[in-house]
Amino acid sequence: MSKVLNGLRSDAIQQNWNVLRYVLAVARAGSVTGAARLLRESPPTVSRQLKMLETELGVRLFDRRPNGAVITADGAAILERVERIESETIAIGETVHGRDGRLTGEVSVAAPCGLGTAIVAPVVASFAQSNPEIRIDLQLGSSKLNLLNRDADVAVRIGDPLQDALIGKKLGQVRFGLYASEGYLADRGMPQRPEELNGHDIIDSAGNLASASQSKLLARIAPSAHRSFRAENVVAQAEAAKSGIGIVALPRYVGEARAELKPVLSKSVGCVDDCWLLTHPDLVGLARIRATMNFLAATTKRALAV
């Protein structure tokens, strides 16, 4: 058995339980910088707390490398136990504060940038009027957060849910199409056939968005088109398209909401992807989670009808 488990005193754990969250964050993010973002603290603070814990325990928990932090054998030996402690601590709090039917507390919601900006953010005020003691923490991005690790409480996710152990339901399908500004189309002409896209400028995807259905669609039908711009979220792509830099593939709820953008090849080019509403099995019984999910389901279904 690892020496950290043999020699770890209970008083060390009690004294440093607050510091153990830094171990969890670094293990989940893969770096001190990533952990700092998760914890909303500075990288030097995270690094300092880890060093203090390592000194107290007398072992090295992570190997620091230029491209991140790799957990050591001693670190891995305690990580599973720390995760169980975290889970039980959360469960105790939820049993006391969350299952009495009160609509109160914070709910972190993860959503793609376009969906969160176009659908969720504009209706938060409406939700707050009905649920004044629930605070929504909206996390936007193209990466799919790990709900089993409690990176978020609820997720609206486009595409594969990824984690079968999650609880949720399919809300419908997101429809994607091509869009360009009036200025671009006046200057370059409206494509009449999909193959003509290879003679146009295309707004491409970067980061996690590059693996999305609409990005793969453009890569397939316009492989030799000039890529004039790249971005890792659809809001930036839509704004670039409005400036006249090229043709872009967008969710219809993003493209149709911008009068400056006109559909391109709407009858012959497009794709669809499933939209899911998900949460952790341990959270589904909480009143604040149920209220949030019911609201998001109704709101998102209406938007997907576009």
Side-chain angles (χ1 to χ4, degrees), residues 26 30-33 47 50 60-73:
V26 174
S31 69
V32 169
T33 301
S47 182
L50 277 180
R60 190 176 71 258
L61 301 175
F62 294 92
D63 287 326
R64 280 74 159 178
R65 299 179 182 177
N67 60 343
V70 178
I71 196 165
T72 65

Side-chain angles (χ1 to χ4, degrees), residues 60-303:
R60 190 176 71 258
L61 301 175
F62 294 92
D63 287 326
R64 280 74 159 178
R65 299 179 182 177
N67 60 343
V70 178
I71 196 165
T72 65
D74 285 327
I78 71 167
L79 180 61
E80 182 179 352
R81 289 169 168 79
V82 173
E83 288 176 331
R84 288 204 296 268
I85 294 172
E86 178 199 42
S87 181
E88 289 302 317
T89 301
I90 293 172
I92 290 171
E94 289 168 350
T95 298
V96 174
H97 300 294
R99 298 188 188 278
D100 57 1
R102 292 184 299 166
L103 297 174
T104 183
E106 181 175 302
V107 179
S108 59
V109 177
C113 189
L115 190 148
T117 302
I119 299 175
V120 181
V123 295
V124 167
S126 175
F127 179 76
Q129 288 176 356
S130 302
N131 305 277
E133 294 189 29
I134 298 179
R135 185 175 67 257
I136 298 294
D137 178 6
L138 184 59
Q139 303 179 49
L140 302 181
S142 56
S143 61
K144 296 181 178 179
L145 299 183
N146 190 329
L147 298 190
L148 294 178
N149 283 345
R150 303 293 180 87
D151 293 343
D153 298 324
V154 176
V156 184
R157 184 167 292 174
I158 298 174
D160 191 341
L162 295 181
Q163 296 167 309
D164 292 337
L166 298 176
I167 300 296
K169 58 183 176 181
K170 187 167 74 171
L171 300 178
Q173 290 186 315
V174 178
R175 293 173 175 82
F176 299 88
L178 303 185
Y179 296 87
S181 70
E182 289 188 26
Y184 176 88
L185 294 173
D187 182 51
R188 301 290 297 274
M190 174 71 79
Q192 300 301 312
R193 300 186 305 276
E195 53 268 28
E196 292 181 11
L197 290 170
N198 284 310
H200 281 265
D201 293 334
I202 294 296
I203 296 174
D204 208 357
S205 300
N208 292 303
L209 191 62
S211 62
S213 296
Q214 71 271 26
S215 304
K216 293 178 180 179
L217 171 69
L218 273 180
R220 185 174 67 254
I221 64 176
S224 59
H226 174 246
R227 264 57 184 174
S228 59
F229 181 79
R230 298 174 70 226
E232 62 179 354
N233 74 67
V234 298
V235 174
Q237 289 180 321
E239 292 303 309
K242 284 169 55 178
S243 76
I245 198 172
I247 298 173
V248 64
L250 296 171
R252 290 183 62 178
Y253 54 75
V254 173
E256 300 295 329
R258 288 163 169 78
E260 303 91 339
L261 297 181
K262 302 302 176 185
V264 174
L265 296 171
S266 59
K267 294 183 178 180
S268 57
V269 175
C271 62
V272 298
D273 216 339
D274 293 335
C275 183
W276 294 83
L277 182 62
L278 305 164
T279 191
H280 192 288
D282 290 348
L283 300 180
V284 72
L286 301 180
R288 68 179 184 276
I289 299 296
R290 292 197 307 272
T292 303
M293 292 185 72
N294 289 339
F295 178 80
L296 290 175
T299 303
T300 305
K301 284 181 178 179
R302 287 197 297 268

